[in-house]
Amino acid sequence: MTSRPAGAAAGPAAPAGPPNPRRAEILGAAAELFARRGYHGVSIGDLGRAVGLTGPALYRHFSGKEAVLAEMLLDISERLLAEGVRRAADPDPGRALDALLRWHIAFALDNPALITVHERELDNVPEPQRHRIRRLQRAYVEEWVAVLRRLHPGLRDGRTRAAVHACFGLLNSTPRSAAGLDRDAMGELLQTMARAALDAAGREAG
Amino acid sequence: MTSRPAGAAAGPAAPAGPPNPRRAEILGAAAELFARRGYHGVSIGDLGRAVGLTGPALYRHFSGKEAVLAEMLLDISERLLAEGVRRAADPDPGRALDALLRWHIAFALDNPALITVHERELDNVPEPQRHRIRRLQRAYVEEWVAVLRRLHPGLRDGRTRAAVHACFGLLNSTPRSAAGLDRDAMGELLQTMARAALDAAGREAG
DNA sequence: CGCCGATGTTAATCACCGTTAACAACCTTA
DNA sequence: TAAGGTTGTTAACGGTGATTAACATCGGCG
């Protein structure tokens, strides 16, 4: 009875198999809506309408509203961490930090809605998967902390972690201030400011 | 028929008169809940329960859920702007910037929930008052922009505004990273990082 | 052709939410 | 003490939301 024909998205349970275009479309629209109005401010009807469907049609692709959010956050966290690990591996901590900054900035500039949701909506993910996402998020932070510790030895642990979080706050402000500057100018500005902020954090009161 | 006995909070309409302790209590609890779960994630019942009442009791003090949020945001915006104007008035732009930073950091550290709501929930305020709050928020930003322009002449306008928003992102990250550091250490760290970030923004590519 | 799984739709269910109504207790005060 | 305003409570109303059920369509394929 449970013979899934090897790859087709037969059930709305598992997010495996070949990428279903409908799923991706829904996830994209959901990101925009969740970012703009917040998870609780978006109804299933809104979600369906955003991709030209009625509300209940969504259950053909996801097991529910929470599942949409969970898959979205899981995907973001995995992408951020995977590339973060890669960039943090540079033996020169200064270059590693710049590479991390460029990565995070590019991601935020290209996916402002995703970054916003990633920052705000973790609490609305049901418990089985919330822990997994939180672990990924923490691991991503740890990549930054490790690089920063190599770059500024003698920096206290709590201070390092706080500095990284403050840096994320700076970088993730992009969606709220996209006005005026084009993408490249904005990216360069954020890189400059963030690098200066982190260096200053490492310089004083180590 | 509309003889309000001069000062007593007779109707739930106007937020004037002597400060009603119940109103303040509700506003405080609402700030925590809105910050943690988002405006739409908090029900009237939650709000009442948080101050030891039932849901409908709230209507003795506010005309509705939206009015709670509106009054909260209006109050925050006014407080931020009033003191911001005062501090920006220092003729030395460097001192003015440091004073602005100290003010905003102190506010964020002392009222993490308020800063979060102020940053996220403007869209849920009904239209008569949303414009007023937005004007106050913009005026506050303009104080920062003006000081930064005095400090770093030749800085382009769009870049200045973007830098200020990025700085707010950094400072407002406090509620998401309060762990580890005590209040004073955190304040000093934020001051250091923000000042370095803004100076770097003003230094390059003016 | 005729079955079937995938993908939609509309109608129905059930909970919850914001709000209002109706009623009670209390405090002041004329 | 009686009246009235203040601040609660519980019950009721109308709307909406998430989810499920029942039914339609359609494309591939035996």
Side-chain angles (χ1 to χ4, degrees):
Chain A
M1 42 193 36
T2 51
S3 72
R4 194 119 40 90
N20 185 326
R22 208 46 132 173
R23 284 177 75 88
E25 194 184 8
I26 292 170
L27 284 168
E32 298 295 332
L33 289 172
F34 288 165
R36 178 145 35 245
R37 304 202 281 235
Y39 177 76
H40 293 292
V42 179
S43 75
I44 291 278
D46 296 332
L47 237 39
R49 196 172 313 116
V51 296
L53 300 177
T54 64
L58 199 135
Y59 289 83
R60 298 297 171 191
H61 304 278
F62 293 91
S63 68
K65 195 181 162 189
E66 288 178 330
V68 176
L69 181 65
E71 179 164 335
M72 191 170 116
L73 288 191
L74 200 53
D75 179 58
I76 301 170
S77 303
E78 281 170 347
R79 282 163 64 191
L80 278 180
L81 176 60
E83 184 67 19
V85 166
R86 203 161 297 133
R87 307 230 176 178
D90 192 310
D92 179 332
R95 279 213 313 259
L97 180 57
D98 279 331
L100 280 177
L101 283 167
R102 268 193 301 275
W103 162 237
H104 199 287
I105 290 167
F107 189 95
L109 286 172
D110 293 338
N111 313 282
L114 289 186
I115 273 289
T116 301
V117 176
H118 179 257
E119 194 181 30
R120 297 182 179 176
E121 307 289 4
L122 213 213
D123 290 344
N124 293 313
V125 176
E127 199 29 282
Q129 319 174 351
R130 181 160 62 204
H131 261 88
R132 182 138 169 250
I133 295 167
R134 208 188 281 282
R135 269 225 319 273
L136 291 167
Q137 290 186 353
R138 266 203 263 266
Y140 183 60
V141 172
E142 286 316 303
E143 293 297 323
W144 285 70
V145 168
V147 167
L148 217 55
R149 211 196 324 254
R150 277 196 287 145
L151 185 63
H152 299 291
L155 197 55
R156 298 291 251 103
D157 229 58
R159 190 175 165 94
T160 309
R161 226 168 298 273
V164 168
H165 279 289
C167 179
F168 286 164
L170 190 159
L171 301 181
N172 294 348
S173 73
T174 295
R176 268 106 60 205
S177 69
L181 263 53
D182 62 281
R183 206 203 100 117
D184 287 352
M186 189 66 179
E188 181 267 337
L189 175 64
L190 292 175
Q191 179 97 18
T192 298
M193 292 180 72
R195 182 62 204 256
L198 289 175
D199 285 342
R203 202 174 306 123
E204 311 201 13
Chain B
M1 39 190 40
T2 51
S3 72
R4 197 120 37 92
N20 185 325
R22 208 46 131 169
R23 285 177 73 88
E25 194 183 7
I26 292 171
L27 284 167
E32 297 295 333
L33 289 173
F34 289 165
R36 177 145 35 245
R37 298 191 258 179
Y39 177 75
H40 293 293
V42 180
S43 76
I44 292 278
D46 297 332
L47 236 39
R49 197 172 313 117
V51 297
L53 301 177
T54 62
L58 200 135
Y59 289 83
R60 297 296 170 196
H61 305 279
F62 293 91
S63 67
K65 194 181 166 191
E66 288 179 330
V68 177
L69 180 65
E71 179 164 336
M72 193 170 115
L73 289 191
L74 200 53
D75 180 58
I76 302 169
S77 303
E78 281 168 349
R79 282 163 64 191
L80 278 179
L81 177 59
E83 185 67 19
V85 165
R86 201 163 297 133
R87 309 229 175 178
D90 192 311
D92 178 331
R95 281 213 311 260
L97 181 56
D98 279 331
L100 280 177
L101 282 167
R102 269 193 299 275
W103 162 237
H104 199 286
I105 290 167
F107 189 94
L109 286 171
D110 292 339
N111 313 282
L114 289 186
I115 274 289
T116 301
V117 176
H118 179 257
E119 194 182 28
R120 296 181 180 176
E121 306 288 5
L122 213 213
D123 290 344
N124 293 313
V125 176
E127 200 28 281
Q129 318 173 351
R130 181 160 61 202
H131 260 88
R132 182 140 169 247
I133 295 167
R134 208 188 281 280
R135 270 224 318 272
L136 292 166
Q137 290 187 350
R138 268 203 261 265
Y140 183 61
V141 172
E142 286 316 303
E143 294 295 323
W144 286 70
V145 169
V147 167
L148 217 56
R149 211 194 324 252
R150 276 197 288 145
L151 186 62
H152 297 294
L155 198 55
R156 299 292 251 106
D157 229 58
R159 190 175 165 96
T160 309
R161 225 168 297 273
V164 169
H165 280 289
C167 179
F168 286 163
L170 190 159
L171 301 181
N172 294 349
S173 73
T174 295
R176 268 109 58 206
S177 68
L181 263 52
D182 62 282
R183 206 204 99 115
D184 287 352
M186 189 65 178
E188 182 266 338
L189 175 64
L190 292 176
Q191 180 97 19
T192 298
M193 293 181 72
R195 182 63 203 255
L198 290 175
D199 284 342
R203 202 174 307 121
E204 312 204 9

